[in-house]
Amino acid sequence: MAIIKINEHTKTGKAFMAMFEAFFKGVEGIEIVEDNYNQVNEEEVIYSAEFVEKVRKAEENIKNGETTTLNPEDIWGSLGLK
């Protein structure tokens, strides 16, 4: 027995599944054993919740146009720290 893992959310995976169904549907000895469309592979979180929240807030600020432009000639002054 061989196992083939296919990511059906990718263009290639969708094409493979379409080809599979066209050529092998109903053929004895070949079948889809597991169909987990809602399966999510959870990876270990390596960032603290506080850091993730800061990044999300920064992304939201950028979307709202709330950014700071730095002058490379006067970085401290651009930040109001002079």
Side-chain angles (χ1 to χ4, degrees), residues 3-59:
I3 297 174
I4 300 173
K5 185 174 179 180
I6 301 164
N7 183 346
E8 296 177 78
H9 300 289
T10 64
K11 185 177 179 180
T12 306
K14 289 176 185 175
F16 181 86
M17 290 306 293
M19 182 197 70
F20 175 84
E21 289 190 15
F23 289 105
F24 301 111
K25 192 167 189 171
V27 174
E28 189 176 323
I30 300 176
E31 64 180 312
I32 296 177
V33 197
E34 189 174 316
D35 223 358
N36 274 341
Y37 292 107
N38 297 324
Q39 181 180 358
V40 176
N41 293 330
E42 294 184 16
E43 295 180 12
E44 182 181 345
V45 178
I46 59 173
Y47 301 109
S48 71
E50 182 180 316
F51 174 75
V52 171
E53 185 57 36
K54 285 181 181 181
V55 170
R56 287 187 178 145
K57 185 174 181 180
E59 288 175 339

Side-chain angles (χ1 to χ4, degrees), residues 62-75:
I62 291 169
K63 287 179 187 175
N64 294 332
E66 301 170 15
T67 60
T68 302
T69 303
L70 297 179
N71 176 356
E73 303 295 324
D74 183 22
I75 294 176

